[in-house]
Each structure stands twice: as structure tokens, then as C-alpha cells.
Amino acid sequence: MRAPIRRRVGVAVATVTAALAVTATGLAAGIIGDANPVASNPNQQAITKGEIQAGKAYGWGVKTLDANLSPDKQVSDVDTFISLKTKGIIIWTLDPGAVGAAYKRAQKAGIPVIDFGSQSNVNSTVFDERGYKCTAGAKAADYIAQRVDKGAKI
């Protein structure tokens, strides 16, 4: 595996492990839903790989559904995870307005939603990794800064 991909996977594992640890209280082994915005993207593939590795550490499986950049499909994916009674949903929200009601349905069903870095700001989101000082963004900036000309602003 190329070094940049390994680093992305490592950051994804660390971030998702932290996110899953927040939701771990009271959760038995089960399935975590990954509402992937676009599974063909290499960065999303690295995140999914990290989710799977982190899930294994807790004895959980990860089921990924691909919205393929469709907000409507992403809403359907969240509803599918609710129907499957997953133990949590990891998502990078494509359209906060579209998925807001589905988030509320997940919350009503007792399913934590982890918004993985989008700008959703939906009150029913149980966990927003940006708000808990996770360092994925800082690590990514450091990684880029080490590889660009000195004096570049990151």
C-alpha cells in the first residue's frame, strides 16, 4: 500500500475509533451503518477501510451503502440502517436539509448518528467529530505542509 494511502487509512482508523468509542457505551456487538456519500472516491475508500478496522476492534461489523452523491439516496440509506436496527450510523452529510428528518428518525430509534466532518449542524446528530477536537484535519494539514514549498499557506 502506498504511503499516502496508509496515512489516510491511519487517520481514518484513529478518527473513527474515537467516534465509535464515544457511542460504545451500552452497545452490544452488532452492525454499524456507513452511509457513504461516494464510495468510488479513494479518500472515502480509505475512511471505509478505517471504519472496518476500527469496528473489528470492538467486535462490530460495518455495512456500507453508497449514495453516489445523491442526497435522496443518502436519506434512503439512513432509513435502511434504521430498519436494520444498526448500532450506529456513520455519515458525511451531502444535504443537511434532506437528511435532517432521517436523523430524527434514527435518534427516535435510539441509533447514534456520527456526522463525519460535514457541515450538517443538525440538532439530532448525536456526534459531530469536528466538535470534539479530533485531529484528523490538523494531521492532514501537517502532512500536506511537509510536502509543499516552504512558505505555502495551508
Side-chain angles (χ1 to χ4, degrees):
M1 186 183 301
R2 293 188 343 244
I5 297 293
R6 280 195 305 269
R7 284 185 187 95
R8 279 186 240 149
V9 170
V11 168
V13 169
T15 302
V16 175
T17 299
L20 291 174
V22 168
T23 64
T25 305
L27 295 181
I31 300 295
I32 302 298
D34 170 25
N36 195 312
V38 58
S40 63
N41 179 292
N43 290 322
Q44 290 299 317
Q45 292 168 359
I47 290 168
T48 297
K49 184 173 182 174
E51 291 168 351
I52 291 167
Q53 289 177 358
K56 285 179 183 177
Y58 288 97
W60 301 338
V62 176
K63 179 169 182 63
T64 300
L65 296 176
D66 182 9
N68 199 27
L69 295 178
S70 167
D72 292 336
K73 173 69 167 69
Q74 196 172 51
V75 171
S76 175
D77 293 348
V78 171
D79 285 332
T80 296
F81 291 137
I82 294 167
S83 295
L84 292 173
K85 297 179 175 33
T86 59
K87 298 296 184 179
I89 299 170
I90 302 169
I91 188 169
W92 185 298
T93 305
L94 291 169
D95 181 347
V99 80
Y103 280 179
K104 289 177 183 172
R105 290 189 292 275
Q107 186 179 37
K108 186 176 180 180
I111 300 172
V113 176
I114 302 165
D115 184 339
F116 197 84
S118 62
Q119 300 293 323
S120 69
N121 297 318
V122 177
N123 289 334
S124 62
T125 302
V126 175
F127 180 81
D128 176 350
E129 68 91 14
R130 293 174 300 134
Y132 287 86
K133 300 188 190 230
C134 290
T135 60
K139 287 179 183 178
D142 288 343
Y143 174 80
I144 293 167
Q146 292 171 11
R147 285 155 180 80
V148 297
D149 293 331
K150 295 207 184 290
K153 294 185 180 185
I154 305 294

